[in-house]
Amino acid sequence: MTIDSLAETGFSGTTLAEIAGRAGVSPGLVAHYFKDKNGLLETAFRALAFRHGEAVRMRMVAADTPRARVQAVIDASLSRQEIDARTSTVWLAFWGQALQHPRLGRIQRAYQRRMISNLSHALRAMETPEEARKTAAMVAAMIDGVWLRGALSGWSEIDPEAAREMLTFVVDDSLARNALPPQTAPARVRPVNPATGETIADIAVTTPDEIGAMVEKARTGQAEWAAMSGTERGRVLRRTSDILRSRNDSLAEIETRNTGKPVMETKAVDIISGADCLEYYGGIASTVAGQFLDLGAAAFGYTRREPLGVCAGIGAWNYPMQIACWKAAPALACGNALIFKPAEQTPMTAMELESIFREAGLPEGVFQVAQGYGETGRALIAHPGIAKVSLTGSVPTGRLVMGEAAKGLKPATLELGGKSPLIVFEDADLDNAVSGAMMANFYSTGQVCSNGTRVFVHRSVLKGFLDRLTARTKALRIGDPFHPETQIGPLVSATQLDLVLGHIRRARREGVKLILGGERLTGGEYDRGFYVEPTIFQADSDSAAIVRDEVFGPVMLVLPFDSEEEVIARANNTEFGLAAGVFTNDLMRAHNVVAALQAGTCWINDYNITPIELPFGGYKASGLGRENGLAAIEHYTQIKSVYVAKGDVDAPY
């Protein structure tokens, strides 16, 4: 109520009586708890600064490089949550009084110190301490300047996305001028078993020099591969698919040990879906072709679809084998070579795939695996011999990858994050809707980019939906992912566990109603692994951070709604646009709602089904380009136009 009052009436107009009236309580009660106006304002300012600090912290936890941690501060500080007109006006009100009120000044100085500390600590890994301090102060001043200018202009002169891009450019420019000599990256990749915390492999990081050698090897192999007919290339892809199917169980066990996903999932989906992709593009390879165009009596023309050359693929840790196949299959079908870097958390099955490709007859160098961290990915993208990059990852990583690719004018396909809506109308089959919501939130322990984590349920069926959902969620079997009946395994890492628990704690502090779960599982086998309870929240508004932020864990948010127009507007009110789902028995309404949703992949009366034949990708911040289907061919070929004259040249000379 204090923040609302400051936003609407300003500092002078905000009084204990005015705030008490908004809250529907007596001014005496407010004075009892906060003593005076300054005490209440101090508490509100602390809450605002704490919210900002938590948003920064949670983005920094997810960042895997110093540069990504700098970007986390920028993205959190200039998110739409922080720079909307209401919040910025309140910050401006506090800033204006910080010099006159010592207690407010202390909070402001603590905020400034934390901002400078977060930035300079990350920058010191890339610049000298003096330059890091200067860059941190410059970035912090620009962030505060954006807020100030935005508040003063009523947000008529400032665009959040443009401001983030501007600061990103400033940081990159500073680093380009003042960067330290390259630091020695971690020499080894040591993935762990998420169920036990035990290291399961020790793999050498691919150095920049080795990246160069891989690119040269890929160029040689790609020339041989591109010279083969599409039919010949298709046979190799289909043989690879056959081998994957024949070794499904053993490969699935490797995937389970590395990701923590239940073996009942990895045997049914992870390897098979990769094999499906290779089989599909094995059939497509012979059909990759251009067009013939009749240009009249004087000429005809035709187009050729030609490979790009050597491409780079960068994978995420949630579906290691599937993502490697999703990137390799269309690239190879079109005659390209691919160097693939799996996530450092889950490097195991990509190595198996490289071996299987060779066994199936793929020429040497056409598919290679580079191991390492963010620095390895950056070296791969920046190599002048790489023609294109395809990433599956987070939005901050996508911005960094796109920026690096842009330096070489390289096309990029980006499949990024989401905060997707799943809408349950009053006429939906509730049992099916609950099944869809659980698949959209708890499958793979909730670590799926397209998950429908905002479940909008019509208010008239909310109770019935929650009753069914709660009962079925309580019955889920959580534990050892190698047990054949386990349905929920651990999160992929200690870092991801900390991130998910942080989202849960923040939601509870913000007053979001916890329906079920919300805790780390401990005791017995749980103590060694990264287990969290399947969690259900109910929110009556969209104001909490958990409504906007991607959690990437088994955390479902249920939100009631009253009308079709309302739910469409709320569903689209996000920076993301990866996926969406609609449950209703009125198919005309289903098609109309899907047409209005800003999402690249939509489901009607189902969720998270991704057949290879359908393109997959997002709108808005959820990415660029498409994977799968015929659409992927567009991203792995370049078109050459050929004009063929039939007669003499008609020249005026």
Side-chain angles (χ1 to χ4, degrees), residues 330-376:
L332 269 54
C334 295
N336 301 286
L338 182 76
I339 300 175
F340 181 74
K341 191 198 89 66
E344 63 269 20
Q345 298 93 335
T346 54
M348 306 301 293
T349 46
M351 296 188 295
E352 298 291 329
L353 182 60
E354 182 177 17
S355 175
I356 291 170
F357 267 128
R358 286 199 300 269
E359 183 180 341
L362 191 70
E364 192 74 17
V366 176
F367 180 85
Q368 300 175 75
V369 175
Q371 299 283 7
Y373 300 84
E375 292 80 4
T376 304

Side-chain angles (χ1 to χ4, degrees), residues 25-38:
V25 298
S26 71
L29 182 64
V30 178
H32 172 75
Y33 283 103
F34 299 102
K35 295 185 179 179
D36 55 19
K37 172 181 172 178
N38 287 342

Side-chain angles (χ1 to χ4, degrees), residues 192-216:
V192 302
N193 180 342
T196 65
E198 297 171 339
T199 299
I200 58 175
D202 190 326
I203 304 166
V205 166
T206 306
T207 67
D209 286 344
E210 289 170 332
I211 291 288
M214 293 173 75
V215 172
E216 288 305 311

Side-chain angles (χ1 to χ4, degrees), residues 63 89 127 136 139 171 210 245 269 276 448 467 481 486 565 596 623 625 630:
T89 301
E127 297 181 317
V139 172
V171 171
E210 289 170 332
R245 293 183 193 281
V269 173
D276 287 346
V448 183
D467 287 346
T486 293
E565 294 75 16
L630 294 176

Side-chain angles (χ1 to χ4, degrees), residues 558-569:
V558 178
L559 302 120
F561 74 92
D562 295 299
S563 72
E564 182 178 313
E565 294 75 16
E566 169 208 344
V567 77
I568 290 172

Side-chain angles (χ1 to χ4, degrees), residues 307-331:
L308 300 170
V310 181
C311 302
I314 300 176
W317 44 256
N318 57 339
Y319 279 88
M321 176 65 89
Q322 182 193 79
I323 291 171
C325 292
W326 278 22
K327 297 192 185 304

Side-chain angles (χ1 to χ4, degrees), residues 611-629:
I612 298 300
E613 295 84 352
L614 280 175
F616 183 81
Y619 288 10
K620 299 189 283 189
S622 288
L624 297 170
R626 292 294 181 268
E627 299 195 286
N628 298 342

Side-chain angles (χ1 to χ4, degrees), residues 361-624:
L362 191 70
E364 192 74 17
V366 176
F367 180 85
Q368 300 175 75
V369 175
Q371 299 283 7
Y373 300 84
E375 292 80 4
T376 304
R378 188 175 294 110
L380 180 59
I381 299 165
H383 193 285
I386 294 296
K388 176 215 166 54
V389 59
S390 176
L391 165 78
T392 299
S394 67
V395 172
T397 303
R399 289 195 174 103
L400 295 176
V401 166
M402 190 173 182
E404 194 66 49
K407 294 175 184 177
L409 297 179
K410 300 172 183 179
T413 299
L414 305 176
E415 196 271 282
L416 308 178
K419 191 68 179 177
S420 300
L422 189 160
I423 303 170
V424 180
F425 285 100
E426 67 274 18
D427 63 342
D429 182 308
L430 283 191
D431 288 325
N432 279 338
V434 169
S435 295
M438 294 179 73
M439 289 294 291
N441 284 271
F442 301 144
Y443 200 76
S444 293
T445 318
Q447 299 167 125
V448 183
C449 56
S450 56
N451 267 357
T453 51
R454 293 182 297 147
V455 181
F456 293 95
V457 181
H458 194 274
R459 200 177 301 274
S460 66
V461 295
L462 179 64
K463 184 180 184 304
F465 180 88
L466 284 174
D467 287 346
R468 289 171 168 83
L469 174 64
T470 303
R472 289 173 60 176
T473 302
K474 287 179 178 178
L476 290 173
R477 292 183 288 274
I478 310 165
D480 177 9
F482 276 100
H483 192 287
E485 294 184 356
T486 293
Q487 296 166 302
I488 304 289
L491 293 164
V492 74
S493 66
T495 298
Q496 192 63 20
L497 175 67
D498 183 50
L499 189 63
V500 171
L501 291 175
H503 281 290
I504 292 171
R505 287 192 294 266
R506 185 179 183 185
R508 298 180 75 169
R509 283 195 302 270
E510 292 184 350
V512 184
K513 182 179 179 182
L514 180 66
I515 302 294
L516 188 69
E519 301 291 340
R520 179 178 183 177
L521 287 166
T522 58
E525 64 178 311
Y526 297 132
D527 282 340
R528 296 188 300 157
F530 314 127
Y531 292 91
V532 65
E533 294 177 315
T535 300
I536 303 168
F537 282 103
Q538 180 188 339
D540 291 325
S541 77
D542 301 341
S543 60
I546 200 167
V547 182
R548 296 180 298 275
D549 296 340
E550 185 176 31
V551 176
F552 227 65
V555 180
M556 183 191 304
L557 186 66
V558 178
L559 302 120
F561 74 92
D562 295 299
S563 72
E564 182 178 313
E565 294 75 16
E566 169 208 344
V567 77
I568 290 172
R570 291 170 66 191
N572 287 335
N573 186 24
T574 172
E575 66 174 325
F576 300 109
L578 186 55
V582 176
F583 277 82
T584 176
N585 281 326
D586 183 343
L587 288 182
M588 185 59 69
R589 173 162 65 182
H591 292 303
N592 289 336
V593 171
V594 161
L597 293 174
Q598 297 166 1
T601 300
C602 296
W603 293 277
I604 295 174
N605 292 331
D606 212 329
Y607 206 90
N608 265 349
I609 306 300
T610 54
I612 298 300
E613 295 84 352
L614 280 175
F616 183 81
Y619 288 10
K620 299 189 283 189
S622 288
L624 297 170

